[in-house]
Structures are given as C-alpha cells and as structure tokens.
Amino acid sequence: MMVTTCTLPVWRGRAAAQARCREEAPSAWHLAQWLAEHHGDVFDATFGPHAAERVLARPAPSLVIPDIDLTLDGLADGSPTDLCAHLDILIGPVIRHCPAQPATPVGRFPNAAPVNRYERQWLRPLEHAMPLDSQAAYIREAVARLRMSPVGGVMVVAPGGSGRTTFLKCLAGVAPMTLPPVGGLARVLVGIAVDDLLNGDPGHNLRAGIEELEPHEILVLDDAEQLLDLPGDGQNPFLQMQLLRLIRSAKVPAVLCVDERRATSLQRSCDMIGHSHRIVLGTPSIEELERIVSAAVPKICARHTVVIPPETVSRALITPGDADDTSQPKLAIERLELGAARAATSGRRTVELSDLGLPTQQQDKLKTGAEITARLTGEVLGQPGAVTRVTRHILLAQAGLSVRPERPHAALLFVGPTGVGKTAMAHALSTVLYGSDESVIRLDMSEYSDQWAAARLTGPQPGYVGYDQPEAWLTTKVRNQPRSVILLDEIEKAHPTVWNVFLQVFDAGRLTDSRGNVALFNEAMIVMTSNLGVSDLGRGPVGFADDTATASQEILLAAVEKTMPPELVNRLDEVVVFEELTEGVIFDIARKEINRIIDRLSSRGYQLVVPHDVVEAVAKAGYDHRFGARHVHRAIERLLLAPLAECTERKLLAHLSDGTPTWRGHPAS
C-alpha cells in the first residue's frame, strides 16, 4: 500500500524551523491543529471521533515543547499516521480529554485575533457596482494586469474620497465575466476590512486572512495606508514584510488601494510601488461629478426631510479647500449631508449656502464690478488702467465663465517701473478673489536663474537633494492650496528652462511632479511681475500725457516680446502695463502709510498726530519717479520713525522745524 507523505510547509528545513520557532514559539498543540485541519480523518482515527473538531475549536494551551528538536527530528517527511503517532506520545492524553465545549477560538498564530476554522472571519465578497465613464479605462487596465502571468499585485492610487471604493466594486462586477476561471470557478474579489486587521497584531492577522483565500479568489485590501499609520513610530516591520510579500507574490493575486499622499511614503519606506503594477485613478469630469452628487441628493433630502436647491448643490462641488482632507465627489456629498442636518436641526426645510460649512472665501457672495474696483483702488493707488483690466478677470473667475475651464482663471503679466504697485496688486487680487492675503504663493524668480532650478518646481529625480522634501515644491503647494494667486515675482530673472515648465500650466492647467502626482491650476490665478523695458523709458519729469503714456506702453510691450519666447507670450491672457506714479499719488501713498503706522502704534500706547504739511514734506522728500512708492517708505522711516525712536513720551505731535519734520509733546497732554 502506498503511504502518503506530507511536508510541513512552515517547518521545512532545520534553520527555517528554528527561525520560525523564535518568531512564534510553536507548540505541540500547533502541530495538532495542523494535522486536524489537513488530515482530519487520520487524526480522528488516532485520537477518537470528533477529536479534530475539538482541537480546532480550542486555544493552544501552554504546552510548548522544551526541546524543539524533539518535534522536528524525523517529522520533515513523515506520513500523517506517523505524525499522529508521534503526537500521541507527546500530548495524547491532552487531546483525548479535550472538552467538547469550545472556548474562545484563536488563530494559528499566538498574536493573531480569534479565527474560526469552519467560518470565514477575514474575507468578505465585495459588492458590485456599475462602472463609471471616467473609470472604464482604469478598469480595463486592472483586468489586463490581473490576467497577466504571474499576476503579482496591483496598487490603485487615488486621493481619499475620489471613488477608490467604487472602483473596486466596479472591478468586482466585471471580474467574473472578463477574467479566466480557475478550477472551473469564476474569479471573484474578496476583501479584508482594515479595521478587523487592526484588532490585534495586523501582520499576523493579514497572514491569517491570506490563508483563507481560495485559488479562484482575488484579495482586495482597501485603505491599505491605514495599516502603516499605526501608533508610535508608525512602523511595523513584520506588517510591511507581509504587505511586500503580498505585492510580490505570483500565487496570491491582490489589489491594494492606497491614498496618493501615503503612496510616496510607501515608495520610500518599503519599496512596494516598485514591485507592483501601479494604476493612478484620474479625477472625474465636472459632468460626472454632477451626476454622482445629483444621484445622492434625493436620498439626503428624504433622510432629513429637506429641500436642497440646485445652486446649493453646485456650490458643494467647488474644489476642496486647505482644511478639507477628502476629495470630490465624497466631499460634496458630505457637505450636502451636513447642510441638510443643520437645516433640519434649525427647523428649516431649505438648505442654505451657509449650512454647507464652506470656508469664508468660498462662500462669500459674488462681488460687483464696482465693488471690486473700489477695493482694488483703495489698495493700489495711481493705477486706474491696471485696476480696470484686473477687475475684468476677477469677474470672469468668480462667475466661472471660461472658454477652457481646465486652465487657470488668468495668466497675467504685470510690467512697469519698480515700486508702482505690481506686487501690491497681486496681494489685493488674492484678498478680493479668495478672501485672504494668505492665499498668495510667492516665488522669487531670481532664485530660479539656473537651469537645474526647474527641479524645485516639480521635484528632483529620486536620489537627488530635495526629493524627500515635497512640501517645498510648487506642485505640492498648489495641491494643498488650489485656490490661490501664484505670484512669479520678476519673471525675467528666471532661466528659460523654468519658463518652459509653465507652458503646460498656462495651456492645460496641470503640472506633474517627479512622483507622478498631478497639481491642478484651474482654481488658481497666475500673476507674473517684470521690469522689462523700464531702462528704455525716458527719464524726463513725471506726468504722462496721453501720447507719452501710449509710447511708454509700446516700449514695455516691445521689450516683453523681445525677451520672452513667443510660445510663452501667446499663452498669456493679458499684459497689464503699470504707469509711473505722479507726485499727487505719492502724497496719497504717504498719507495712507502714515495712517497705517499710527493705527499700528496705537496698540503700543502711542497717540500720534501728523498734520497735512508734514505729510506733504515727507512725500516731497520721498518722491523719485525712478523708485516709486518704495522711496516714500524710506522717507517715512528716516524723517518720522527714526526721531520717534528717540522720544520718551507717547503723546506726540509732528511739526516742521526749518522744513524738517520733528516731534513734540501733544498739547492735549
């Protein structure tokens, strides 16, 4: 009679066995559970009826064999009968007297959470869903990867809330029809809940779940990045080893979903990305986002007994802000759910815009052209023509009217002499359009004068300095703050290679960094400043006549076209020319800056009075048409603030002494 021999796969080889013993401290009871699971008939014949069932339902008692060689020697290639006979010598009485009432079952591994051998604890079949139009190409790519031999792992990378789980459900729906069967059974997707894996030792739990997998099943692990965001230092070497082994394995087909922000960390820490087929999900189109969110609106309204107007639904679809940790369309659905709950709590049947919880700059009412002009004029003095042109672009941006919505709201080039308000206009534009001056992302282009500096915008290649500092890249800043004014100060000082980087931004509104992450610029406004052509302007007295102003604009525009490549100039929405400041404007700027200083020093106990004649003297001393308003600032510091620093009193009046401003005690004091 032929005797069937068996090999313990986890104990094969003496060195491997000893390493396994140090890791899990296997006992004779572990051997009993292995025999009961794989050779139950032989096990019951040796130890009595239902012995295998009782052993599998019991936890492992403290019967670790002192000398591990006693278990290993002679068992490497023994038959099941020989193994059971040897086990009968070791713990036969314990097995025969094992009670029938099962205690709390545990897994094969000591640190694992409980496992029931006759009922799956880890794996669950995935629900099915109809594929979305935007995901059809990615689903076909995933199916093609899973049909490969060997299969390996497929890693799906996408932002949280962008439809990763829906993608898995769609893949589960098409897998039985598109993948070849195994053993006569259709291929199905089964998943492991991350929350269940975290209940105990995640590494051992994941390994126990993989052992439940059938040959025709494909393992799915959604939100896999949570397994590495663990307490403490967040590192679990055994868990990383299991995940990496899962990705590399050709026998266990697996699909892992990872947040794109965590995927870069996985690439550096455990080299998973390099051993997997990576699929980066794209962003759904605006039309598809509207369909997805509109399909969820009736359920939200029925649940809270409210009405959500169409304009409120549209506002919920705006780009995620700085404080949002999820993406569309999940973000829009969460906003509408929160708004409906707030309206129902307040006893209202209609959800208002304020119920959505949008940031202030995202829920401000649309401003009229007159309001925008007034605010810009109050911030930037002496530039009525520039204010009119910038106002037009702000109106188009806040109304969402654009021929190509994927492009930035506008790409503007501000040219003119130094100190005339180009940078101040960019900050004022940010305040009007986005509600805060902090929405400005400023890049000093003099720092990008070298060819290699272009890597600072999108990140260098792996191994180079700065690759592990993505927070300094322009793409990361825009992805974290998509609603912003991107200020490229003194663009003419940048290297031409840096100019070429922005060609794609101006034309397509997107930029890909060295890690494959895409930054979208469709909610941003790009402003460049330049002093090109200023040296060619006449140095005569200030006070432009109409002909002189037109000639100066032509000189500046000609300098721009001569210096910058035509493909860059052709992608600009407008070149805004700033005029030199007149003496009257310089006086207004001096008055404004002095009032701002008085207000700021009042919080420190100062009570300052600066009459008109003193302001006029400061403006006259600070007037230089070559340097604009910056010369006024220096005059204020020299004539007012420096003498103020020598005064001991806090209530002071400024006056002229021989034409020079000085301070004296306020009469009221």
Side-chain angles (χ1 to χ4, degrees):
M1 183 180 67
M2 180 179 298
V3 178
T4 302
T5 61
C6 65
T7 302
L8 300 181
V10 295
W11 285 358
R12 186 186 296 115
R14 189 179 189 90
Q18 292 175 350
R20 182 65 180 269
C21 293
R22 288 192 297 269
E23 175 185 347
E24 296 181 1
S27 66
W29 193 266
H30 293 124
L31 176 61
Q33 288 185 322
W34 187 90
L35 289 170
E37 181 179 7
H38 294 86
H39 304 282
D41 52 347
V42 179
F43 194 90
D44 289 342
T46 304
F47 298 101
H50 307 292
E53 181 179 353
R54 295 196 307 271
V55 167
L56 289 173
R58 294 289 298 176
S62 300
L63 294 174
V64 179
I65 303 175
D67 185 4
I68 191 65
D69 293 340
L70 182 64
T71 304
L72 296 176
D73 291 343
L75 299 184
D77 297 311
S79 66
T81 303
D82 294 336
L83 292 175
C84 289
H86 193 84
L87 189 64
D88 191 12
I89 298 175
L90 296 175
I91 55 171
V94 177
I95 297 176
R96 290 186 175 86
H97 294 87
C98 180
Q101 296 80 9
T104 303
V106 299
R108 177 178 303 174
F109 309 107
N111 296 328
V115 175
N116 191 326
R117 294 297 178 186
Y118 294 105
E119 179 182 357
R120 281 188 167 185
Q121 175 172 348
W122 305 106
L123 303 181
R124 300 290 185 272
L126 264 67
E127 301 178 5
H128 294 184
M130 295 298 295
L132 302 175
D133 294 340
S134 62
Q135 294 183 344
Y138 302 107
I139 291 177
R140 289 194 297 268
E141 178 66 16
V143 171
R145 296 292 187 180
L146 292 173
R147 290 178 66 96
M148 294 174 61
S149 179
V151 177
V154 176
M155 180 171 289
V156 180
V157 180
S162 62
R164 293 182 304 175
T165 304
T166 303
F167 172 83
L168 294 178
K169 293 180 180 180
C170 297
L171 183 61
V174 303
M177 300 175 290
T178 55
L179 294 176
V182 175
L185 299 176
R187 306 299 296 272
V188 295
L189 270 65
V190 293
I192 301 181
V194 174
D195 293 340
D196 294 340
L197 293 180
L198 296 178
N199 182 22
D201 189 311
H204 288 83
N205 292 345
L206 176 62
R207 184 174 176 179
I210 294 175
E211 289 189 353
E212 293 184 0
L213 200 67
E214 299 294 337
H216 68 286
E217 294 175 336
I218 300 173
L219 181 64
V220 173
L221 193 59
D222 198 2
D223 298 326
E225 70 276 358
Q226 296 184 18
L227 294 178
L228 298 178
D229 293 332
L230 302 176
D233 59 1
Q235 300 294 325
N236 188 322
F238 183 71
L239 174 60
Q240 290 186 357
M241 180 187 68
Q242 293 298 328
L243 288 174
L244 185 57
R245 182 180 299 173
L246 180 63
I247 286 292
R248 290 177 173 176
S249 175
K251 298 181 180 180
V252 182
V255 179
L256 275 68
C257 273
V258 180
D259 189 285
E260 66 175 2
R261 293 171 296 183
R262 199 67 175 91
T264 56
S265 300
L266 293 178
Q267 186 177 13
R268 296 195 306 268
S269 61
C270 53
D271 197 26
M272 284 188 188
I273 303 257
H275 294 87
S276 65
H277 305 299
R278 187 181 185 188
I279 299 177
V280 181
L281 298 185
T283 305
S285 63
I286 299 298
E287 294 76 10
E288 193 164 39
L289 283 178
E290 292 176 350
R291 290 199 302 268
I292 295 173
V293 176
S294 298
V297 168
K299 299 179 181 179
I300 298 176
C301 294
R303 184 159 50 249
H304 298 281
T305 319
V306 296
V307 177
I308 303 179
E311 57 271 16
T312 303
V313 177
S314 299
R315 292 294 287 172
L317 288 170
I318 63 176
T319 305
D322 304 340
D324 298 318
D325 56 356
T326 186
S327 303
Q328 300 286 19
K330 182 180 179 180
L331 178 60
I333 296 175
E334 290 180 351
R335 287 170 173 171
L336 294 175
E337 184 77 33
L338 176 61
R342 287 174 172 171
T345 303
S346 303
R348 290 181 280 106
R349 288 188 52 82
T350 302
V351 179
E352 300 176 354
L353 180 61
S354 58
D355 295 326
L356 299 183
L358 300 178
T360 303
Q361 63 268 26
Q362 293 181 331
Q363 66 181 13
D364 284 345
K365 295 182 179 180
L366 299 181
K367 304 176 181 66
T368 64
E371 293 175 338
I372 296 174
T373 301
R375 293 189 60 177
L376 292 180
T377 303
E379 293 294 331
V380 183
L381 304 179
Q383 303 294 343
V387 168
T388 301
R389 291 173 173 81
V390 172
T391 299
R392 181 172 65 251
H393 291 286
I394 293 178
L395 289 174
L396 291 173
Q398 69 175 6
L401 301 178
S402 176
V403 178
R404 296 177 58 188
E406 72 277 6
R407 293 186 67 246
H409 289 320
L412 306 176
L413 175 60
F414 294 169
V415 295
T418 179
V420 296
K422 300 187 295 294
T423 303
M425 180 68 80
H427 286 270
L429 191 156
S430 174
T431 303
V432 173
L433 186 58
Y434 301 119
S436 173
D437 183 38
E438 297 179 355
S439 298
V440 176
I441 300 176
R442 182 180 182 274
L443 300 181
D444 189 346
M445 302 312 292
S446 62
E447 300 177 358
Y448 295 81
S449 58
D450 297 316
Q451 183 176 1
W452 56 264
R456 298 174 56 189
L457 300 174
T458 58
Q461 294 301 314
Y464 286 85
V465 175
Y467 180 75
D468 57 347
Q469 298 175 339
E471 63 278 357
W473 306 346
L474 175 62
T475 50
T476 304
K477 294 178 180 178
V478 174
R479 290 173 63 241
N480 294 336
Q481 192 176 10
R483 294 170 54 84
S484 58
V485 172
I486 302 172
L487 176 58
L488 309 179
D489 214 359
E490 298 182 322
I491 185 65
E492 74 277 6
K493 296 182 179 179
H495 194 276
T497 303
V498 178
W499 294 350
N500 295 334
V501 173
F502 288 98
L503 293 179
Q504 180 183 359
V505 176
F506 296 161
D507 190 54
R510 57 192 291 124
L511 193 61
T512 305
D513 63 21
S514 59
R515 295 180 176 177
N517 300 318
V518 179
L520 300 179
F521 291 74
N522 60 327
E523 288 288 333
M525 184 171 287
I526 301 176
V527 174
M528 295 168 285
T529 66
S530 174
N531 297 325
L532 286 173
V534 174
S535 59
D536 299 332
L537 295 177
R539 300 180 181 274
V542 178
F544 284 89
D546 293 339
D547 294 341
T548 306
T550 303
S552 299
Q553 292 182 7
E554 292 177 354
I555 293 174
L556 295 177
L557 294 177
V560 170
E561 295 177 356
K562 180 180 178 180
T563 305
M564 293 186 172
E567 60 270 20
L568 179 62
V569 177
N570 191 37
R571 285 171 169 81
L572 299 177
D573 292 293
E574 188 167 359
V575 178
V576 181
V577 178
F578 283 65
E579 302 174 356
E580 290 184 354
L581 301 180
T582 64
E583 191 171 355
V585 174
I586 291 294
F587 173 83
D588 295 336
I589 293 176
R591 177 80 272 181
K592 178 183 175 182
E593 292 300 322
I594 291 174
N595 290 339
R596 184 177 298 175
I597 293 173
I598 292 174
D599 293 339
R600 186 174 71 249
L601 294 181
S602 63
S603 62
R604 298 169 57 182
Y606 284 94
Q607 296 182 15
L608 306 178
V609 177
V610 182
H612 178 85
D613 59 338
V614 176
V615 177
E616 193 173 35
V618 172
K620 184 177 180 180
Y623 170 63
D624 190 326
H625 68 90
R626 297 174 302 170
F627 304 119
R630 288 193 176 90
H631 202 50
V632 177
H633 297 160
R634 289 190 287 268
I636 293 175
E637 290 181 356
R638 185 179 73 254
L639 300 177
L640 293 179
L641 296 184
L644 180 63
E646 300 177 1
C647 298
T648 57
E649 299 184 39
R650 295 299 178 99
K651 296 181 180 181
L652 298 169
L653 171 66
H655 68 100
L656 295 178
S657 176
D658 296 332
T660 302
T662 58
W663 296 97
R664 67 184 181 189
H666 197 287
S669 60

